[in-house]
Structures are given as structure tokens and as C-alpha cells.
Amino acid sequence: MTHITNLDTVWNHLKSENVDHEVDLQPPEKYGWLSVFCNLLQPKSNLLPKELSDEKSVLIKLSKCPFNHEDLIHMQMISTLFNKLTGLNSPAAIGSHWEIIGFQGLDPATDFRGVGILGLLQPLAVCLSVDTLPFMSNVVSLSHSPSQGFPFMVLSLNVSNIVLKALRDGVLDRMIKEKEAVLGVTTKCYTAILFFIYDNWKKEKLTLSDCGPVFKRAETICKKELIRHMSNFDNYVKELTLNETPAVQLEQVQFDFMKDMSNSAAMTT
């Protein structure tokens, strides 16, 4: 399977796909005097230009677009993600190897039901950047911790869901308009929230039992303190670059993979 090297190729393909889902970008309708009042308070200057509004619509539509094994780009996306996070080539479309990066079963397609292909696009976008790939590798490394381990992709999909809510609610509109980039802003939002969870998970010795509270904190941050946490992530990436901090030990991931495959083979004989 050919790996993806350019995010633009993926984005252009996804934008051109016919996703048969209607998207309502408007807030719930208000009636009577409440409608007049809300219209007066609505910051018209924050309304997105048509091109940006259309791209926002595409991202929201992708959250309803299921992962498709028959779509070559979808398969290249997930194979590339697996390769970037493990240093391995995925041996098959379905198998226990997907559990290494935190899918819940043999078929990763079943895990994308909540946020669709958007949940694959976001971690892939981060992994395709040489500046942010080491961060993703460190998150995967922590996910394999004996005492603090967690299924990485399950966590990532929850982060994508937080970003999706912010996108739908217009929380990101002002930043999207300033940066003139929908995908770029949502990716930065994703990395900021994921870094917040990773940093707190590591420092506070969190475990799976802490998922609920930490996700609630992440949702609050996304609504009220996003810019500060984006800055925190940028500073972290700079430190990684300056210190040349080694990322996840791929040899260990590969060893774990071969061990898991051996165990699976032994169980079937």
C-alpha cells in the first residue's frame, strides 16, 4: 500500500467526494422577540466568507462519512497513520495489529462511527508534519505504559469529537476567519487538546478511570482557553526540536507487535 506524503492530496480528495449528508451550519432557530434579540447580539463580522464556510461544511460532513475499505484514499490514510505511529507497514486491512495504535477491534472501521473519517484525517495531519510527528510518537509511547496505558485511537477520536463540537458551535469561526484556514485551525485545535490531555495524563499519573473528568476539562478549555493551550503546544514543539528529544522507541513497538502476533497465532492453534 502506497503511503501518503502530502496532506493536500488527501484534503482535495475528501473535498471532492460526494458526501450525501445535509449540514446545517446555522444555530437552532429562535422565535418571536428572542429572535430579534439574538440577531442584534450576533457578531456579523465573525460570519465566514463563502469559501471558508464551504470548507467548514466539508469537515462537518466528513464526521458523517464512514471509513470505507473500498476507498483507496481511505486505505492509504489509515496505512500511513499506522506506519507513522509504529514504523511498520500494516499487514492487512483487518487484524489484531490495529490494536497496537489503540483501535478496539480487528476492523478499525467500526471505531469511526462517532466522528467518521474526520477522526482519521486529524491524527494523520499531525503525523504528516515533521515538526509534530515526534509529539504523536510520544503520545503513543505513553499509551503503551504498563501503569498508565490507554487505547490511543480511542482517545484521539474523543479529541476529534471535542473539536467537532467546537466547529459546529462556531467557537473556531473567528480564528478560522483570521487565519483563512479551516483545516489548519481545526488541526491546531486538535493538537492543543490532545497535548493538554497528554501533558496532564503524564504529570498527574492518570489512568483510564480518569478519562471522564479529563475530557470534561478538555471541553471547557476548548471553549474558553484554546489560544493559550495552542501556545503551550507550540512551545512544547519548539522544546522538542531544540532538545532533539527522542520520540517513541519504534523497536519496542515492533517487539510488542510481534509478541501480540505470536500470542494470537498460539491461541488459534
Side-chain angles (χ1 to χ4, degrees):
M1 179 67 67
T2 303
H3 292 152
I4 292 168
T5 58
N6 189 334
L7 185 63
D8 289 339
T9 302
V10 176
W11 182 227
N12 290 334
H13 170 78
L14 295 177
K15 284 194 295 184
S16 65
E17 278 190 327
N18 293 317
V19 185
D20 298 325
H21 296 284
E22 294 296 326
V23 175
D24 184 8
L25 298 180
Q26 301 301 320
E29 188 175 358
K30 309 289 194 308
Y31 297 95
W33 67 267
L34 183 58
S35 173
V36 176
F37 182 70
C38 289
N39 285 334
L40 289 174
L41 294 180
Q42 179 70 22
K44 302 296 183 182
S45 60
N46 287 341
L47 293 177
L48 294 176
K50 185 180 184 305
E51 182 178 355
L52 295 176
S53 181
D54 288 346
E55 290 197 4
K56 175 181 174 178
S57 178
V58 169
L59 278 182
I60 295 175
K61 285 180 179 180
L62 290 179
S63 71
K64 296 184 178 182
C65 177
F67 178 84
N68 183 4
H69 285 288
E70 302 302 319
D71 189 308
L72 178 60
I73 294 294
H74 288 194
M75 288 303 300
Q76 288 179 334
M77 288 171 69
I78 201 167
S79 296
T80 302
L81 180 66
F82 186 86
N83 174 260
K84 292 292 185 180
L85 294 178
T86 67
L88 300 164
N89 293 321
S90 61
I94 295 177
S96 61
H97 55 284
W98 295 115
E99 296 175 2
I100 297 174
I101 59 173
F103 285 106
Q104 297 185 88
L106 304 182
D107 184 359
T110 59
D111 285 352
F112 289 112
R113 290 170 183 165
V115 290
I117 203 70
L118 175 66
L120 177 57
L121 176 63
Q122 292 197 309
L124 177 64
V126 186
C127 285
L128 287 177
S129 167
V130 294
D131 293 328
T132 53
L133 175 59
F135 161 63
M136 295 294 275
S137 298
N138 288 338
V139 180
V140 170
S141 180
L142 182 61
S143 78
H144 288 280
S145 166
S147 59
Q148 291 183 267
F150 53 86
F152 168 73
M153 278 305 299
V154 173
L155 184 145
S156 174
L157 291 168
N158 276 277
V159 173
S160 290
N161 191 47
I162 293 173
V163 176
L164 177 62
K165 288 179 181 178
L167 187 64
R168 282 185 177 277
D169 293 344
V171 173
L172 306 179
D173 282 1
R174 177 177 294 181
M175 194 179 303
I176 288 172
K177 188 174 182 181
E178 290 175 353
K179 303 294 184 181
E180 297 185 345
V182 179
L183 183 59
V185 168
T186 52
T187 301
K188 283 185 69 68
C189 179
Y190 169 88
T191 54
I193 298 302
L194 182 59
F195 174 67
F196 165 78
I197 295 173
Y198 163 78
D199 193 45
N200 282 268
W201 200 283
K202 190 173 182 180
K203 292 178 179 177
E204 298 178 14
K205 308 296 182 183
L206 302 183
T207 64
L208 284 174
S209 62
D210 300 301
C211 280
V214 77
F215 284 145
K216 287 183 180 178
R217 289 162 59 191
E219 288 180 4
T220 300
I221 282 169
C222 192
K223 294 176 182 177
K224 299 180 178 180
E225 303 177 57
L226 185 56
I227 293 178
R228 179 167 71 87
H229 284 274
M230 284 182 171
S231 178
N232 289 346
F233 177 71
D234 289 340
N235 291 334
Y236 169 81
V237 171
K238 289 177 183 177
E239 289 180 6
L240 280 181
T241 304
L242 291 174
N243 298 331
E244 296 184 348
T245 305
V248 61
Q249 297 178 351
L250 293 180
E251 295 83 357
Q252 183 62 43
V253 174
Q254 293 167 3
F255 172 78
D256 291 341
F257 170 73
M258 297 306 297
K259 182 178 178 181
D260 290 342
M261 292 296 288
S262 298
N263 290 340
S264 298
M267 291 176 65
T268 57
T269 58

